[in-house]
Amino acid sequence: MRLAKILEMRFRALMTTALFAFVFGLVSAQERGTMRYLEFRYGFQIPIADMKDRFGSNSQFGLGIQSVSKKDKIILGLEGMYFFGNTVQEDVVTQLRSYDGSIIGIDGAPGDVNLKERGYYIGFNAGKIFSTGAHPQKLTGIRAIAGGGLLQHKIRVQDNFNTIVPLEKKYQYGYDRLTNGPAIHLGVGYQYQSPIHNLHFHVMGDLYAARTASRRDIDFATGEYLGKKRTDILAGLSIAYIVTISRTEKPDHIYY
């Protein structure tokens, strides 16, 4: 567990360093003939493989920082995706339930407990836009990307009345089944940039696949360490609104 935490911290440090390098590179984007932009994404995903045994479908919000060459339409960038859902298949608080399924709080009354899915993916990506529009200088066409990073998920145990002592924050590590590992992201879809308006978006089919393992020393529901390796896969659709943060044309050649 300690080694896993060290590896995760190093990965986050690497991502932070890459982000600073990416941002500082904006100043020379015009000279290199590249465009930099932000992607604000929303999507829907369904779980596959081991993931479907733990969670149901989920939603996701994402943010990407991308650099694309105006000449050959090659994409390089960083991305992050936060996913969440309300369907959890594994009852991690089953040992706390009474015969009727309720969990009794410290006040002697049944508590109100919800299990929710929480997770994220962060990583690098690269890809290409295959132009299909009548304006070859615009970023319109089939978009394909591949990337790698870290995927993490857990079960959020939410005690709405805050009356159940075993579910206090200091004990959450025994119930959340925190899991992470190296992951890949594959995507294909369509990207559009209007030739006359500031309208820029893409629609993608996405696949996230990860080889993960538990990062907790003990699971309270089973009383043991969940050491089995997992294959966690999320497949879904996403749509992104794109905001340009650099430009390739000189001011004298920009038309509105």
Side-chain angles (χ1 to χ4, degrees):
M1 179 177 173
R2 182 177 299 175
L3 177 59
K5 289 183 177 180
I6 293 174
L7 291 175
E8 182 178 352
M9 291 176 62
R10 288 181 177 176
F11 182 84
R12 290 179 177 176
L14 178 62
M15 288 293 296
T16 302
T17 301
L19 177 61
F20 276 110
F22 196 93
V23 172
F24 284 130
L26 293 177
V27 295
S28 57
Q30 181 171 322
E31 287 72 13
R32 293 197 304 269
T34 61
M35 176 183 289
R36 303 293 174 89
Y37 57 81
L38 293 175
E39 299 175 348
F40 298 92
R41 296 198 298 266
Y42 173 78
F44 176 83
Q45 300 169 323
I46 58 173
I48 302 174
D50 292 328
M51 198 76 164
K52 68 180 176 59
D53 295 329
R54 180 167 294 179
F55 301 115
S57 59
N58 63 60
S59 298
Q60 60 118 320
F61 289 110
L63 175 66
I65 305 177
Q66 305 291 324
S67 173
V68 57
S69 168
K70 180 180 177 182
K71 180 179 179 180
D72 53 21
K73 307 297 192 299
I74 297 296
I75 302 169
L76 296 173
L78 307 172
E79 62 178 330
M81 180 266 292
Y82 172 75
F83 57 92
F84 55 96
N86 294 323
T87 302
V88 177
Q89 313 286 9
E90 300 173 353
D91 189 0
V92 295
V93 294
T94 183
Q95 80 280 12
L96 300 179
R97 298 188 185 278
S98 61
Y99 69 94
D100 62 354
S102 63
I103 303 177
I104 305 302
I106 195 172
D107 57 356
D112 182 17
V113 178
N114 298 124
L115 304 181
K116 299 183 178 182
E117 174 189 13
R118 296 292 186 265
Y120 68 84
Y121 167 85
I122 52 174
F124 305 88
N125 61 38
K128 183 175 175 62
I129 299 172
F130 299 90
S131 296
T132 59
H135 299 270
Q137 297 301 313
K138 295 297 181 180
L139 303 180
T140 297
I142 303 300
R143 170 187 165 109
I145 66 165
L150 176 77
L151 185 139
Q152 176 169 295
H153 58 79
K154 70 175 183 178
I155 298 173
R156 179 184 177 186
V157 181
Q158 183 173 309
D159 176 11
N160 296 311
F161 295 159
N162 294 316
T163 59
I164 302 172
V165 175
L167 298 183
E168 291 180 354
K169 186 175 181 180
K170 60 184 176 181
Y171 302 123
Q172 286 287 317
Y173 71 91
Y175 300 98
D176 65 12
R177 294 189 175 172
L178 180 68
T179 301
N180 63 36
I184 61 171
H185 174 204
L186 304 176
V188 63
Y190 180 75
Q191 182 160 320
Y192 175 80
Q193 183 182 14
S194 172
I196 56 176
H197 301 297
N198 187 24
L199 177 62
H200 198 172
F201 69 89
H202 65 67
V203 179
M204 299 283 291
D206 299 295
L207 182 73
Y208 298 87
R211 189 63 171 166
T212 65
S214 173
R215 302 309 177 193
R216 298 305 192 192
D217 291 328
I218 188 171
D219 176 69
F220 288 170
T222 61
E224 58 187 23
Y225 169 64
L226 302 178
K228 180 183 176 181
K229 290 289 186 179
R230 297 170 51 89
T231 299
D232 292 325
I233 301 176
L234 290 170
L237 296 173
S238 64
I239 184 169
Y241 178 71
I242 298 172
V243 178
T244 303
I245 54 177
S246 71
R247 59 195 181 198
T248 58
E249 293 86 0
K250 294 183 179 180
D252 291 343
H253 296 89
I254 298 176
Y255 301 95
Y256 297 93

